[in-house]
Structure formats: structure tokens, C-alpha cells
Amino acid sequence: MIWRIIFFILITVPGLIAIVTFQTIYLWLKWPNWHFFPHLAHKLVCFNLGLKVRQIGQPARDKPTLLVCNHISWLDIPAVGATAPVSFVAKSEVGRWPIVGFLANLQKTIYVDRQRKTDTGRVTDEMSERMSSGQPVLLFAEGTSDIGLHVLPFRSALVGSAQTAMKDGAISELYIQPMTIAYTHLNGLPISRAERSKIAWVGDMGVEDNIGDILSSGTKSVTIMFGEPILFSRDEDRKLVTKKAEQAVRDMLVAINRQTALPTAHQGAH
């Protein structure tokens, strides 16, 4: 743990400061491919935290895409950020968390204020703007986190927001792409149920406690898998589509954790 803290202070912090500086200038000039510097930042954080990321499949491109995913830990953010140029949808509190909020802001996260029902319109507009520009938006659809052995029921409300954008004419078509995050090994050995508490963020655990566990837990292996996108029409039942995506995420998670035959992964264009 000591060397990770030293590395964080001497390498990661100066590196992130430089990346933020370049990213700020890049966004101010409105240049394309804004995700280059955040990608470097997430790679640096993953290295510092001992996080080894394995990617299976690809995020859909060139069409408006909403990625729906399970959620296990705040480590999901750097793991995904080091893999794909996505924008996250997260609760507004995330932006105020140490380290986590910094990484989320760098990834142009769309924040949802759960206390304000009138916030839905703004979130819908931001999601449609990102997706219509060809940038995938990622939703942790369970609404909370789990230890990584199960997939909790997906909430269809924000999937419905994306559908609203279609009905309003902001986007003409939409794909829902299932995506799975699975933490598989700790220090090179298959992770046990008890050891998952060193990674997962569940219950009333504080962010500082969780960061401490992660810093002291050694090398962690995570698999991120992208399933086949589901075409989502403007008149389709959002609950049925959300349920279909939920089952696809569950099938991928079970197969990765049990090391059995994997479902079909998405390999490129729609």
C-alpha cells in the first residue's frame, strides 16, 4: 500500500494535473476526440491501483448508443474510462467524491439530481446530444452497486429518457448495448466471495474506507464485455427492452465468473 501512495503523490497527481490542463485547453478549443486525455488519466489511475483490464468486444459506434451495465465499485469508472470513450450517467453526489468525482468529471459525466424531478428534461437533452454525436452514453442501470456475483433488476426510467429523445425528434434511432463488468482475480488468483468486499462498494461503506481497501488489496483483474446492441424503436416497451438488456448482462457476468462459454460479443459496426 505504501508504494501505491508514494506513486500516487509523485507520479499520478502531477500526471493528472498535466492531463487536466491539456484537457481544459482541448475542450476550450472545441477540438474533436476529447476522450484522448481522459483515456490517459484512467490508464494512469488503473496502473496506480493495480487494476488490469481485459476487454471483450467493442462499444457500438456511428449510431446513437446507450450502454447499460452492472455496477460493482467506483473502480468501474477508471476501468471503463481506460477502455472506451463513453460518457457516464451518475447521481449528482458522485461529482463531489474525492478521486472518483475527479475521474467522472474528466469523462464528461452527465449528473442526475434525484431530488429534482424537473431535472429529467436536462438529462434527456444531454444524453441525446452526446449520443447523436456518435458518443456512447453509459448507464449503471441497477441504480446501486453489488458485490459482482449477481445483476440486480435494471431501472428503466433513464432508458425511457433516451426513448423520449427519439419521440422528440432529437435522435432518429437508438441502440441499447448490454455491457458487463466482472472482477475475476485478486493477486493472480480467482477472487473469493469474501475478498469481493475489498473491491465492491456496497451498503453504508464510506468512500474513504473503500479507497483504503482497494489501495491495500494488491493486483485486481477486471473483464469488461460488450454484448450485441439491441435496436430500440420509439414505440417499443422500454421495460421489455430494459429487461432483455438486463438478462444479457447477467448471462455475460455468469459466464465470465464461472469461466464458461461466453455469449456473443459485439465486434464492430452495428
Side-chain angles (χ1 to χ4, degrees):
M1 180 175 179
I2 297 299
W3 79 264
R4 292 190 192 280
I5 295 174
I6 294 173
F7 186 93
F8 181 79
I9 295 172
L10 298 181
I11 305 296
T12 303
V13 170
L16 292 177
I17 291 173
I19 288 170
V20 168
T21 301
F22 285 118
Q23 176 73 348
T24 301
I25 297 172
Y26 205 87
L27 293 176
W28 181 70
L29 293 173
K30 296 182 179 180
W31 286 344
N33 301 318
W34 62 267
H35 52 80
F36 174 74
F37 290 111
H39 178 75
L40 290 181
H42 289 293
K43 284 278 192 182
L44 179 60
V45 171
C46 285
F47 181 79
N48 194 169
L49 298 176
L51 190 61
K52 294 184 176 181
V53 185
R54 171 195 179 205
Q55 179 181 344
I56 302 175
Q58 299 288 335
R61 301 186 186 278
D62 301 325
K63 297 288 186 181
T65 301
L66 179 65
L67 291 159
V68 290
C69 183
N70 61 316
H71 188 25
I72 300 169
S73 167
W74 67 265
L75 280 178
D76 300 348
I77 293 175
V80 174
T83 303
V86 306
S87 284
F88 298 100
V89 178
K91 57 185 180 181
S92 57
E93 303 96 282
V94 171
R96 299 188 291 270
W97 290 343
I99 302 178
V100 185
F102 175 85
L103 293 172
N105 292 333
L106 204 61
Q107 200 73 11
K108 296 178 69 174
T109 293
I110 301 169
Y111 292 112
V112 180
D113 189 340
R114 295 179 178 178
Q115 306 302 317
R116 297 174 55 193
K117 293 183 179 180
T118 56
D119 203 41
T120 304
R122 178 192 60 79
V123 173
T124 299
D125 290 343
E126 286 197 45
M127 289 173 64
S128 62
E129 180 184 353
R130 304 284 175 85
M131 290 187 292
S132 62
S133 66
Q135 180 185 337
V137 172
L138 187 148
L139 172 65
F140 292 120
E142 295 164 306
T144 185
S145 54
D146 187 64
I147 63 172
L149 291 174
H150 313 283
V151 174
L152 303 176
F154 280 6
R155 298 181 179 183
S156 63
L158 285 177
V159 175
S161 294
Q163 189 178 39
T164 299
M166 279 196 294
K167 292 180 178 179
D168 291 344
I171 50 179
S172 58
E173 64 179 356
L174 175 68
Y175 286 84
I176 305 296
Q177 185 173 18
M179 178 185 136
T180 295
I181 299 175
Y183 293 86
T184 58
H185 292 77
L186 189 61
N187 294 318
L189 298 175
I191 187 171
S192 67
R193 185 185 184 94
E195 289 171 328
R196 289 184 177 275
S197 63
K198 298 181 181 296
I199 296 173
W201 189 357
V202 293
D204 57 357
M205 178 183 291
V207 63
E208 294 85 1
D209 294 333
N210 190 231
I211 290 174
D213 286 342
I214 287 170
L215 287 173
S216 61
S217 60
T219 302
K220 298 157 281 290
S221 299
V222 57
T223 296
I224 295 177
M225 182 172 178
F226 297 90
E228 289 291 349
I230 304 165
L231 181 60
F232 189 23
S233 71
R234 66 184 64 196
D235 299 318
E236 206 157 353
D237 188 325
R238 64 179 171 86
K239 292 186 178 180
L240 291 179
V241 173
T242 303
K243 195 69 179 177
K244 184 177 180 181
E246 174 193 321
Q247 187 57 52
V249 172
R250 182 175 292 109
D251 291 343
M252 290 187 287
L253 180 67
V254 170
I256 294 169
N257 282 339
R258 295 182 179 177
Q259 298 184 25
T260 56
L262 295 174
T264 302
H266 183 64
Q267 298 299 335
H270 290 295

